[in-house]
Amino acid sequence: MNVMETLGSRSIKLRRGTSGRLTEPAWIKVLLIGVAMLFLAVFLILPLLVVFTEAFKKGIEVYFASITEPDAAAAIRLTLLTAAIAIPLNLVFGLAAAWAISKFDFAGKSLLVTLIDLPFSVSPVISGLIYVLLFGLQGWLGPWLQAQDFKIIFAIPGIVLATIFVTFPFVARELIPLMQTQGSEEEVAARVLGASGWQTFWRVTLPNVKWALLYGVILCNARAMGEFGAVSVVSGHIRGLTNTIPLHVEILYNEYNSAGAFAVASLLAILTLITLVLKSLIDWKAKIHAQFPDEVAGGRSYEH
Amino acid sequence: MSIEVRNITKTFGNFVALKDVSFKVETGELVALLGPSGSGKTSLLRIIAGIEVPDEGSGTILLHEEDTTDISFRDRKVGFVFQHYALFRHMTIFENVAFGLRVRPRNLRPSEEIIKQKVMALLKLVQLDWLGDRYPSQLSGGQRQRVALARALAVEPSVLLLDEPFGSLDAKVRKELRRWLRRFHDELKITGVFVTHDQEEALEVADRVVLMNEGRVEQVGTPDEVYHHPANAFVYNFLGNVNLFHSRVEKGKVYLGDIPIDLPSEAREDSKTAFVFVRPHLLEIELQPNGSDHFCAKVEHINAAGPVVKVDLLTDWGDPVHVELPHERYRALGLKRDDEVFVIPKERRVFTDHSKPSRGEEGGLP
């Protein structure tokens, strides 16, 4: 962030100093900005408008009826439940993984980093299928699970598992770069001053990464609530039981109930907007904290 | 509280950072660990603090005659000031200093009132009591350094360890702060060890200096001792500027140009080559030979900006020589480029090849 700012201010100086010779002609600027804005309008803003207009097409009563009818309410509850289980777990996993990767050296560290990224590179459908192959009736552990009378596939545990898998990287990915640049000197300082391991974690490590952590959690939440592919494979689409919001939208749409589909979809769109607002808020907050650029920080890691 | 380092060895993979290092710091002393980068001084300081552990089976650190191998940070009572201060960035200066008190076990934790008094007293001591509610990023380097010191002192350590305390400050602040540290130490009378690679800093601030090179202790002594009676070529070379001449030993004599010099008494009989060291300010320039031992040289470059005039010469056998002259002498001589002059070494020191210097070699016969 700091580098970008310095670069930015430097190029401004450069531009002034050479009286505009280094900048592009006005028409190129307008053209480039115009293309970017057009792209954003067509691919982001227009779909958003479509979602809301379609949702309210048959009136506000239909809209509220669509999102409060029992199946939709069940889907909303299931989505919230899934997120409520997946996010705390991923928060703990992500924090632990980032802590281990950024503060310690151990054999197999790069393997761990690769594994954390795995859910990003694997198609969600495949990751869903893996769970089916593993826990399904014909799967490796299926017969044993059936003997225990415990259902994972086509039930809530499967949905939660698939969601945890696809959202696993978000928290760790946010934290690792930050924790790596921060180093572990502050933790060592805390230990030398007599803090215990937990005190060091709660008083030094966690406060130093809280904004990145919150950011990771928000991204994780958005993905957890919106995940379709992996959840679709393991859910079984049982209305009122194993349908999450995205799955419910699909069912309604396939039944040509477009007003209902878009009404429920608008909930996800609202979630997206809230996520965006929160994200900008956190960026802004984090910037305020860093508004006095750390003079030493720049030279910290390069001095020797 | 005294510190005794006893036969410490530390290796990182194949790299030997410390080789069987031993020395003792007496109660109330301020000792400098001085050496070039990579000499193991920071590793040693971190081992004394307990941040790093020496190799299995190597020696121990004794604090106040007590083995510290199994003593935790909490009970070591060591104050450590990190090279880059490692202040807690999300805490105010006040909270930074209060940290060591707040993390104490509940039964030992002072009340909020006492913490407040203590922190303010410490901030006053380092002359920063007006900055308590700022954040570390809002402070200058010198101020942060003093906060780090106050934070280390808050736990009432019996030993204060400082890692390159002035390393990341600019030259002027550095000089002020090191005088301040000296006075500060004299007031507090706390046993202290600081790491530095700046010989001037070590000689000015410390009661005693431990010179380290390649993981070993080369010499321990007061600044006077190490400067005037260097134990070996490395120490002589490291403490201040030198001219180094490589020369052959012939019939028990070393030759600097044509000047014969006796071998030092401790030198081995079988030494084949020797190093002659002369400090730049101990070389005199004359326009005519005056009867003293001398060699001839030509003036290559003159730099008169600064407290002394620095003259670069080239000997008639092709070695560069640096000489420092007072301005009056320089004016009296009226030196110019390409002048042929006579150089008289007023004091020189000879070390034979079993005490090889390992860095900063300047000039010398091939």
Side-chain angles (χ1 to χ4, degrees):
Chain A
M1 193 73 83
N2 268 338
V3 177
M4 292 302 287
E5 278 165 14
T6 7
L7 279 181
S9 62
R10 200 171 288 166
S11 65
I12 287 166
K13 271 181 213 152
L14 218 63
R15 228 177 281 156
R16 279 186 197 143
T18 49
S19 60
R21 250 185 302 158
L22 275 177
T23 57
E24 311 299 337
W27 67 270
I28 288 192
K29 279 195 231 170
V30 171
L31 185 75
L32 287 175
I33 293 171
V35 167
M37 293 309 282
L38 192 72
F39 183 87
L40 280 179
V42 171
F43 285 89
L44 289 175
I45 297 168
L46 211 57
L48 198 63
L49 289 177
V50 168
V51 168
F52 282 99
T53 44
E54 287 290 323
F56 287 102
K57 210 171 179 180
K58 293 192 179 159
I60 200 149
E61 291 83 17
V62 178
Y63 178 86
F64 281 109
S66 310
I67 58 173
T68 49
E69 56 111 358
D71 286 351
I76 293 168
R77 272 202 304 276
L78 180 58
T79 297
L80 290 177
L81 175 72
T82 310
I85 298 171
I87 289 160
L89 285 176
N90 272 338
L91 191 146
V92 174
F93 292 159
L95 198 56
W99 163 273
I101 285 166
S102 55
K103 312 267 172 176
F104 301 96
D105 271 318
F106 52 90
K109 185 162 146 176
S110 56
L111 185 71
L112 182 59
V113 176
T114 315
L115 283 178
I116 288 174
D117 278 343
L118 193 69
F120 275 162
S121 48
V122 172
S123 155
V125 178
I126 306 295
S127 42
L129 266 178
I130 291 166
Y131 284 114
V132 174
L133 292 175
L134 204 60
F135 302 119
L137 263 186
Q138 268 73 48
W140 286 12
L141 300 173
W144 182 81
L145 282 170
Q146 204 183 21
Q148 310 297 315
D149 199 22
F150 188 69
K151 257 187 111 170
I152 291 185
I153 298 305
F154 305 145
I156 293 169
I159 294 171
V160 172
L161 271 180
T163 307
I164 289 175
F165 180 82
V166 293
T167 55
F168 181 68
F170 287 98
V171 174
R173 272 283 132 206
E174 276 307 313
L175 292 183
I176 290 169
L178 180 70
M179 286 172 113
Q180 273 173 339
T181 40
Q182 286 181 350
S184 45
E185 280 281 273
E186 283 181 50
E187 277 92 353
V188 175
R191 293 305 302 270
V192 174
L193 287 167
S196 68
W198 277 113
Q199 282 175 324
T200 306
F201 176 76
W202 287 111
R203 288 165 180 265
V204 178
T205 310
L206 201 57
N208 273 349
V209 299
K210 63 181 174 203
W211 296 116
L213 186 68
L214 199 57
Y215 189 35
V217 163
I218 286 171
L219 288 181
C220 185
N221 180 54
R223 181 69 193 266
M225 291 192 172
E227 175 56 25
F228 179 83
V231 170
S232 170
V233 176
V234 295
S235 117
H237 305 263
I238 307 164
R239 286 188 117 170
L241 276 181
T242 63
N243 258 358
T244 59
I245 297 179
L247 300 182
H248 191 64
V249 171
E250 191 210 16
I251 287 180
L252 292 176
Y253 190 75
N254 286 345
E255 290 170 347
Y256 303 103
N257 180 359
S258 77
F262 279 108
V264 180
S266 71
L267 293 179
L268 287 176
I270 289 168
L271 172 73
T272 312
L273 292 176
I274 292 173
T275 306
L276 275 176
V277 170
L278 282 180
K279 176 193 164 302
S280 337
L281 210 68
I282 287 172
D283 275 351
W284 177 72
K285 266 277 189 189
K287 216 181 225 160
I288 291 223
H289 268 257
Q291 70 171 318
F292 302 96
D294 198 337
E295 294 158 24
V296 185
R300 189 167 286 174
S301 33
Y302 312 107
E303 213 149 285
H304 286 285
Chain B
M1 184 145 94
S2 64
I3 306 170
E4 191 175 347
V5 176
R6 206 180 266 176
N7 309 104
I8 294 291
T9 297
K10 175 76 180 169
T11 47
F12 294 101
N14 290 328
F15 177 70
V16 183
L18 294 168
K19 266 180 264 180
D20 196 25
V21 170
S22 304
F23 63 87
K24 193 167 178 195
V25 180
E26 300 297 338
T27 308
E29 246 188 338
L30 183 58
V31 166
L33 293 180
L34 174 65
S37 3
S39 59
K41 50 198 191 315
T42 293
S43 298
L44 183 57
L45 196 75
R46 291 173 86 99
I47 287 175
I48 296 174
I51 298 169
E52 310 236 12
V53 282
D55 284 359
E56 201 85 20
S58 94
T60 50
I61 303 289
L62 286 84
L63 295 179
H64 204 56
E65 318 283 329
E66 232 176 286
D67 192 335
T68 58
T69 311
D70 301 316
I71 297 183
S72 69
F73 288 130
R74 237 182 208 170
D75 305 320
R76 275 194 187 213
K77 294 230 148 219
V78 159
F80 198 98
V81 178
F82 291 81
Q83 184 176 3
H84 300 293
Y85 325 130
L87 295 179
F88 304 125
R89 70 193 82 194
H90 66 277
M91 291 182 204
T92 60
I93 298 311
F94 182 93
E95 286 303 321
N96 261 281
V97 178
F99 186 87
L101 300 171
R102 289 200 197 283
V103 296
R104 282 192 184 166
R106 205 172 293 274
N107 52 336
L108 296 174
R109 200 178 304 158
S111 71
E112 193 58 31
E113 196 52 39
I114 292 175
I115 289 180
K116 196 166 176 197
Q117 279 172 15
K118 231 177 137 177
V119 172
M120 288 322 284
L122 278 165
L123 285 176
K124 204 162 260 163
L125 186 72
V126 297
Q127 298 150 18
L128 288 174
D129 46 326
W130 47 289
L131 286 175
D133 52 355
R134 301 274 183 93
Y135 284 87
S137 55
Q138 294 165 285
L139 266 55
S140 73
Q143 289 170 335
R144 282 182 218 179
Q145 173 66 62
R146 288 178 354 232
V147 174
L149 198 58
R151 185 178 69 173
L153 290 171
V155 293
E156 289 169 15
S158 33
V159 163
L160 189 62
L161 307 172
L162 305 106
D163 187 6
E164 296 270 2
F166 317 111
S168 19
L169 304 171
D170 59 68
K172 207 167 159 80
V173 180
R174 219 180 152 106
K175 278 200 174 148
E176 274 167 30
L177 213 53
R178 73 188 186 210
R179 282 196 197 113
W180 180 80
L181 177 70
R182 180 69 246 183
R183 282 201 306 275
F184 190 79
H185 177 265
D186 292 343
E187 268 171 46
L188 289 185
K189 301 259 179 261
I190 187 171
T191 311
V193 179
F194 71 98
V195 157
T196 179
H197 58 257
D198 182 340
Q199 34 94 12
E200 206 183 309
E201 197 167 288
L203 297 180
E204 185 179 319
V205 179
D207 294 317
R208 281 197 307 148
V209 178
V210 176
L211 268 131
M212 296 192 61
N213 183 34
E214 292 176 347
R216 288 183 318 265
V217 173
E218 299 278 358
Q219 189 175 5
V220 182
T222 63
D224 244 20
E225 279 164 15
V226 295
Y227 189 79
H228 292 293
H229 306 284
N232 55 36
F234 169 79
V235 177
Y236 192 85
N237 202 0
F238 195 72
L239 296 177
N241 300 326
V242 285
N243 289 294
L244 164 61
F245 305 93
H246 293 244
S247 31
R248 288 190 62 78
V249 177
E250 280 167 35
K251 293 176 196 145
K253 297 258 183 206
V254 188
Y255 288 88
L256 170 56
D258 297 328
I259 310 170
I261 304 167
D262 288 333
L263 268 179
S265 50
E266 74 273 12
R268 288 192 201 158
E269 293 290 317
D270 56 351
S271 297
K272 293 250 162 46
T273 54
F275 306 95
V276 180
F277 289 90
V278 191
R279 297 220 186 269
H281 65 275
L282 294 174
L283 282 166
E284 206 147 337
I285 293 181
E286 292 287 350
L287 298 175
Q288 298 298 327
N290 65 356
S292 324
D293 290 337
H294 63 264
F295 58 84
C296 303
K298 200 168 93 176
V299 178
E300 290 268 290
H301 182 79
I302 298 168
N303 173 12
V308 291
V309 180
K310 292 175 181 160
V311 184
D312 292 352
L313 303 161
L314 196 68
T315 62
D316 48 9
W317 66 88
D319 270 354
V321 178
H322 308 288
V323 179
E324 286 173 11
L325 295 175
H327 280 272
E328 307 85 68
R329 177 82 190 133
Y330 165 68
R331 276 193 296 274
L333 286 169
L335 278 187
K336 297 187 307 294
R337 243 192 105 139
D338 292 332
D339 277 355
E340 296 281 348
V341 295
F342 299 90
V343 183
I344 298 151
K346 285 192 288 193
E347 191 191 304
R348 62 244 160 177
R349 212 164 264 272
V350 179
F351 296 97
T352 47
D353 52 358
H354 64 278
S355 54
K356 265 184 193 135
S358 58
R359 56 173 257 141
E361 301 195 6
E362 300 167 29
L365 287 169

